Every structure is written in structure tokens, then in C-alpha cells.
Amino acid sequence: MSQQEEELTRAAYDAVADLYADTFTATEPEQPPELAMIDHFVALLGDGPRVLDAGCGAGRMLPRLAARGCRPCGVDLSPEMVRRARADHPAYPSTTGSLADLDVADETFDGVFSWYSTIHTPDDHLDAVLAELARVLRPGGHLLLAFQVGEGARDIGAVFAAHGHRVSLTRYHRGAQDVATRLEGLGMPVVARLERGPLGSEQDPQAVVIARRPAR
Ligand SMILES: C[S@@+](CC[C@H](N)C(=O)[O-])C[C@H]1O[C@@H](n2cnc3c(N)ncnc32)[C@H](O)[C@@H]1O
């Protein structure tokens, strides 16, 4: 993600942080198949795992991870989203930072949880972000990615214009196989994968991919 693209994403989420946090307080948009993938991810991590919610937004998934035995913390590009994460979920540390350059030592986490947070990363920057997420995983740890399926870039500013916010925000759609191939190219075998058609009011198919950093 170029610095300019990252700045646009940060500015967009800063502008809509309160709207986002007030609209989605827990797992309102999630469907049972995704929630089952989260449970499967946690089950792969062992006892009391340290989990980085990478692109945590306003932190709505932190309590869900904690309720399943994880020790979660969050990081997000948007200071306003992090402000809401800290205010709404003070039990879990959340900091501002970029997925492309985490201020975290190598091999810190048992799990890295990226819930719709690589969706603003263009294809030509995605491998670098995936490598950075893998870097902070211990050998044997697991990475989960959730994203909308499809091809190409979509301008999703209109979603927020309907609520009175003028923002510039691009979302990149991709296939589960594309993401799996990228992960495997980084030496991370895929251990579980969900790809399904739209449910309810959704307009797009959705995917969740879980990969493992091989043990040494
Ligand atoms: C669709 S929201 C999802 C937020 C949260 N995971 C959730 O499910 O509520 C995308 C989030 O990813 C964050 N994000 C996007 N690109 C990022 C990057 N390069 N580094 C860190 N966070 C990023 C945004 O700031 C935003 O909070």
C-alpha cells in the first residue's frame, strides 16, 4: 500500500469511526459459517493463546476472541478506530499501527486474526503485508484472513455517503485460491478455507482462509 493509499484509508476510517463502532458493536454482520471458522481458528491455537487482532477497527472482535480463551490485543491504522476500541473494550490493549510495518518483535503471537483488514491493500502490496503478519507469528502459529471474494477494486465511498460522510475508500476483492497461493508462496500451508455465496443482505461472496506457519 503506498503511503498515499494508506493515508486515504486512515482518513476514511477516522471519519466513520463512530458510525462504524455504533453500528457494529459485536458480530451483527457475521453469518454462522464465519463464526465457525473463528472457533476453528481458536481451537488450532492451543491454551491461552496470544492473538493479534490485526486491523481491529473499533475492537468488536476482541471480546469474542477473549470469550474463547484467547489473550487478544489490537492494532489498527486509524487512530479514531483505536480510540473507540480503547473506549469500548478497555480490557484489551489496542494501538495504532500499520499491517505493513508492525511494531512487534518476531514470533510474538500464537495467532494473527485479520478480519476484513487486508481488503484495502492493493494486490501488489498484499504479499508484503502477509509476510509481515507471518513474521510476528511463532512457528506453529496460525494466521486467519477474512475478505470479500471477487476481482478488482471497488470504490465503496458511497456506503458512507448514505450516512453523510464523504470519504475516499477502495476495497480490493480477491479469490480464496489467490490468497491461498500467496500464503503458500510464503511457506504458509493453508489448513482451512471457507468460500461461500452471499447470505442475507450481502452483495458479495465471502471467504475465510487459515494458514499455519510451519514449526521449526
Ligand atoms: C472493514 S474494517 C474491519 C475492522 C474490524 N476488523 C472489524 O471487523 O470490525 C477494516 C479495518 O482495517 C484497518 N486497516 C486497513 N488497512 C490497514 C493497514 N494497512 N494497517 C492497519 N489497519 C488497516 C482499517 O483502519 C479498518 O479499521
Side-chain angles (χ1 to χ4, degrees):
M1 205 180 211
S2 73
Q3 210 155 355
Q4 191 190 6
E5 285 164 324
E6 216 173 59
E7 186 46 47
L8 284 173
T9 301
R10 179 187 294 112
Y13 279 102
D14 276 351
V16 305
D18 285 322
L19 171 68
Y20 195 103
D22 293 340
T23 304
F24 302 120
T25 60
T27 53
E28 295 89 344
E30 275 72 33
Q31 298 285 344
E34 284 75 69
L35 297 176
M37 286 295 276
I38 296 176
D39 287 350
H40 183 55
F41 169 69
V42 173
L44 291 167
L45 302 181
D47 286 343
R50 292 196 66 193
V51 175
L52 178 65
D53 185 345
C56 63
R60 69 191 176 95
M61 302 306 270
L62 295 167
R64 189 169 188 96
L65 293 166
R68 280 152 181 75
C70 300
R71 290 178 289 153
C73 61
V75 64
D76 198 276
L77 195 58
S78 157
E80 284 298 302
M81 291 294 253
V82 170
R83 176 183 62 76
R84 282 300 302 254
R86 288 175 174 162
D88 297 0
H89 305 289
Y92 315 108
S94 295
T95 55
T96 304
S98 168
L99 304 187
D101 184 18
L102 293 167
D103 186 15
V104 174
D106 294 356
E107 305 184 4
T108 296
F109 294 100
D110 303 293
V112 172
F113 178 80
S114 166
W115 199 249
Y116 294 90
S117 58
T118 56
I119 60 176
H120 305 297
T121 301
D123 286 348
D124 56 350
H125 287 79
L126 185 59
D127 287 356
V129 166
L130 297 180
E132 180 64 354
L133 298 179
R135 179 185 68 77
V136 301
L137 266 183
R138 69 165 172 81
H142 290 80
L143 167 64
L144 176 150
L145 299 155
F147 47 93
Q148 290 90 358
V149 173
E151 283 183 11
R154 316 236 175 131
D155 175 355
I156 60 164
V159 172
F160 300 106
H163 297 274
H165 295 283
R166 286 172 62 92
V167 300
S168 173
L169 189 60
T170 303
R171 189 170 74 201
Y172 298 90
H173 290 225
R174 39 187 68 106
Q177 182 57 50
D178 172 26
V179 172
T181 301
R182 290 170 182 269
L183 288 164
E184 284 165 0
L186 291 167
M188 304 258 303
V190 169
V191 297
R193 179 205 293 209
L194 165 73
E195 187 167 342
R196 63 155 178 84
L199 289 170
S201 60
E202 292 171 351
Q203 295 186 339
D204 302 293
Q206 313 286 318
V208 181
V209 174
I210 301 174
R212 179 168 42 82
R213 180 168 175 187
R216 269 198 288 266

